[in-house]
Amino acid sequence: MHLQSYLKERCDSGGISAAEMGVMLALAAAAIAITALIRRDGIDADLGAETGDANSDGDTQKALDVRAEALILSHLKESDAAYLLSEEQPTPIALPRQTAPLIVAVDPLDGSSNIAVNVTVGTIFSLMPWDGNLPRPCRGRDQLGAGFFTYGAQTTLILAFASDARPQCFVLDEDKGHFIALGAEVEIAATTKEYAINAAYAQHWHAPIQQWKTQVLADAYSMRWVGSLVADAWRIFRRGGVFLYPADARAGMEAGRLRLVYEANPIAFLVEKAGGLAVNGGENILDLTPQELHERTPLLFGSADEMKILIALHKELDA
Ligand code: P6P
C-alpha cells in the first residue's frame, strides 16, 4: 500500500485529521528530495562540508543540515503547520498558515557528521497540537504523531499517530517516487541479547549503567553502535535491542547528549507504541514536560524486559 493511500484511509476513518495527513505528505515529499540530494553527495556538492556556522546548541552545521532544513521548510509552508521547531534554529519559525492546528518539531538531519563517510543519517519529526498561543513543545505523551526517515541503503520511514495501536514502516520506491508499506505492524521484541552504547565513555558512566554493563558482559550480549540515532533505532524496531545515551560525568553531559523535543520524544512515542519502554533513567520520557526547546535528556529505550532491569537499577542506585 502506498503511503498516500494509507494516510487517506486513516483520515477517512477519522484516525487522523486532514491537517495531520497533509503535514505527513509534506514531510514525505521533503524526505524524497533529501534522498535525491544525498544520492548526489560528492558529485554535485560536498554535503558533509562544514558551513562555518553552529546551530543553537553549538554543534557545527554541515551543508546537508542546512539544505535538509530548507527542503522541509519549503514543503511545510504548503501544509497545515503553523510553526516549525528545528534543531538548527534557536527559536520557532512561523509558517504562512498561522491559523493551522499543528506545530512540527524536527531534527532535519540526525547524525549529519556521518554523511561524509556514507553512514545512515535521518530526519526525526514530531507532530504537536497548537492552541494559538506561544508555540511551545508539548509533553511527549501529548504528541499527535511522530516518526523518522532514514537515508541509508534504502530510504525508510517509521510512523505512528496517537490513534494507532502500533507503528507502521515504509520503504521508498526510488524508481516510482513513493513510499510503500512494509506490511506488518511494528512490535519490539520484549527480550534481547543486543545493545547500543558508546563504550568509549565507560569511565564516565554513573553506577546504574556501570552495573548493568557488567551484567550484559557476563551474559555475552552483542553490541552495535552506529553513532547515528536513527540507524540504531531502526535496527531496534526491526530486530529488538536497547539503546543507551545516558547522562555521564563528563562536563556538559549532566543531561546526556540527545534533545528531548525533536529526538527523544518522537523516538519514545514510537517505542511505546511498539510495546517497548523509553526512559531518562527512572522516568518515562513521554511524561517529561519540556522547559526549553533545545533541552537535553538522557535517553534509554528498547526491549521492555531489558528496560525494566535498567529502570530498577536507576531506582536502586541513582544518587
Ligand atoms: P557520540 C549524532 O551526532 C547523534 O546526535 C546521534 O545521532 C548519535 O546517536 C549520537 O549523537 C552519537 O554520539 O557521542 O557517540 O558521537
Side-chain angles (χ1 to χ4, degrees), residues 110-111 113 198 201 225 227-230 232 243 245 257-258 263:
D110 172 70
S113 57
N198 187 334
Y201 310 136
W225 184 255
S228 171
L229 170 60
V230 291
D232 284 314
F243 173 99
Y245 209 116
R257 174 188 173 117
L258 302 176
E263 289 177 327

Side-chain angles (χ1 to χ4, degrees), residues 196-199 201-202 204-206 208-210 212 225 243-250 252-258 279-281 297-301 310 314:
I197 193 168
N198 187 334
Y201 310 136
H204 305 294
W205 293 337
H206 298 312
I209 304 297
Q210 295 285 4
W212 177 81
W225 184 255
F243 173 99
L244 301 88
Y245 209 116
D248 65 43
R250 287 176 293 159
M253 286 295 162
E254 296 78 9
R257 174 188 173 117
L258 302 176
V279 297
N280 63 0
T297 177
L299 176 60
L300 295 71
F301 67 85
L310 276 158
H314 278 83

